[in-house]
Amino acid sequence: ALTALCAGLFITLMDQALYGQLASFIINVLICSVIYNLTVRQIVVPLAASGLLLLAALPFFQRSGDVLVGHYVNLGIFLTISFVASRIVFRSHANQYVSRLLLSQSKEQLEAETRLNIENNEKLKEMNQQLKRLSFLDELTHLPNRRSFRDYVDYHFDFLKENPKLFSVIMIDVDRFKQLNDQYGHNSGDAILKSIARQINSSINMETDFAARWGGDEFIYASFNKTSEETL
């Protein structure tokens, strides 16, 4: 900016002997004020330095006192206007920069929040599915519970309405289980139930049969389209 102003100053001084104009310097001042995004200090130093230098040198190149006074007035006005214009342009660019920066930060924050929401939704979905699975399992034996058995039967009975098939059910009850609990404690009773559940689970065909803990010491088994011999 200072180089451009000095070039305009030199041309203006050389022009005094011919046309006596300040156009070259004034145009350079306006261009530098609008084109360059300078801080107050960065614009004041070249404007003041070049302006004072021009004011000091003009009397040596411009012999007319009236023209010289006009030049001084015009210089004061244009330097002031140029400074104000530079502040407007600088403030405008600064505001645009801040707006772009805030917009970029907002976009990044929104994308981060979106990713976080998606992750949270996936985790929540997974937890809900896990809770749903757990709600259909017996906590002790890890066999399906009564609710799961009812859903299994309801699901298959919907198809049996149009395509009847043989349906078999076996209820399993552990004999003298209460006496065992009273004599050896509930921990032993739980171990017995787990052992029975493993035996039942290993004895059925998972693709065609279904076994569940009905409650307490009761278990239930169901199968579709099997003969009574196969079921037994």
Side-chain angles (χ1 to χ4, degrees):
L2 184 59
T3 303
L5 292 176
C6 289
L9 183 149
F10 178 77
I11 295 173
T12 297
L13 292 176
M14 295 299 99
D15 187 55
Q16 294 305 304
L18 298 174
Y19 302 103
Q21 300 292 329
L22 298 175
S24 297
F25 180 73
I26 290 174
I27 290 173
N28 281 18
V29 168
L30 289 174
I31 291 174
C32 291
S33 301
V34 173
I35 290 179
Y36 297 107
N37 296 320
L38 304 174
T39 62
V40 174
R41 183 177 180 180
Q42 289 173 332
I43 192 64
V44 165
V45 171
L47 283 181
S50 59
L52 292 175
L53 184 60
L54 181 59
L55 290 175
L58 271 175
F60 298 99
F61 293 87
Q62 180 54 255
R63 301 301 182 182
S64 173
D66 294 336
V67 174
L68 196 59
V69 172
H71 283 351
Y72 288 160
V73 173
N74 290 334
L75 278 175
I77 294 173
F78 276 104
L79 288 175
T80 303
I81 292 175
S82 299
F83 176 77
V84 174
S86 72
R87 295 305 85 212
I88 294 174
V89 172
F90 181 83
R91 181 61 60 86
S92 175
H93 281 281
N95 290 338
Q96 290 178 11
Y97 174 78
V98 172
S99 298
R100 288 194 299 269
L101 183 62
L102 291 176
L103 182 61
S104 175
Q105 291 175 347
S106 299
K107 183 179 179 181
E108 292 176 358
Q109 184 178 0
L110 181 60
E111 291 175 351
E113 291 177 353
T114 302
R115 288 194 299 269
L116 182 61
N117 287 335
I118 292 174
E119 292 175 0
N120 289 337
N121 289 335
E122 290 296 327
K123 291 180 181 178
L124 183 60
K125 183 179 179 180
E126 184 179 349
M127 290 177 62
N128 287 334
Q129 292 175 346
Q130 186 176 1
L131 288 173
K132 186 176 181 180
R133 288 194 299 268
L134 291 175
S135 69
F136 283 92
L137 286 179
D138 177 64
E139 183 179 359
L140 178 64
T141 63
H142 299 294
L143 284 177
N145 57 20
R146 182 183 299 195
R147 177 193 297 177
S148 182
F149 180 80
R150 290 184 182 277
D151 287 352
Y152 172 82
V153 171
D154 291 342
Y155 173 79
H156 282 80
F157 268 39
D158 287 337
F159 293 96
L160 292 179
K161 294 176 183 178
E162 299 179 359
N163 187 19
K165 293 181 181 179
L166 181 65
F167 174 56
S168 304
V169 176
I170 299 176
M171 290 294 298
I172 305 169
D173 179 83
V174 182
D175 292 336
R176 297 181 295 280
F177 184 73
K178 185 178 183 304
Q179 297 176 15
L180 185 145
N181 263 340
D182 293 340
Q183 184 173 353
Y184 297 103
H186 289 283
N187 289 337
S188 297
D190 290 345
I192 293 296
L193 293 177
K194 291 178 182 179
S195 177
I196 293 173
R198 287 194 296 269
Q199 257 189 317
I200 294 173
N201 208 32
S202 64
S203 303
I204 65 173
N205 185 339
M206 300 297 292
E207 295 182 358
T208 59
D209 304 340
F210 192 89
R213 184 184 181 190
W214 190 252
D217 61 343
E218 295 178 334
F219 298 86
I220 192 167
Y221 163 88
S223 66
F224 288 87
N225 203 29
K226 276 191 173 184
T227 65
S228 56
E229 289 80 9
E230 289 175 327
T231 302
L232 290 174

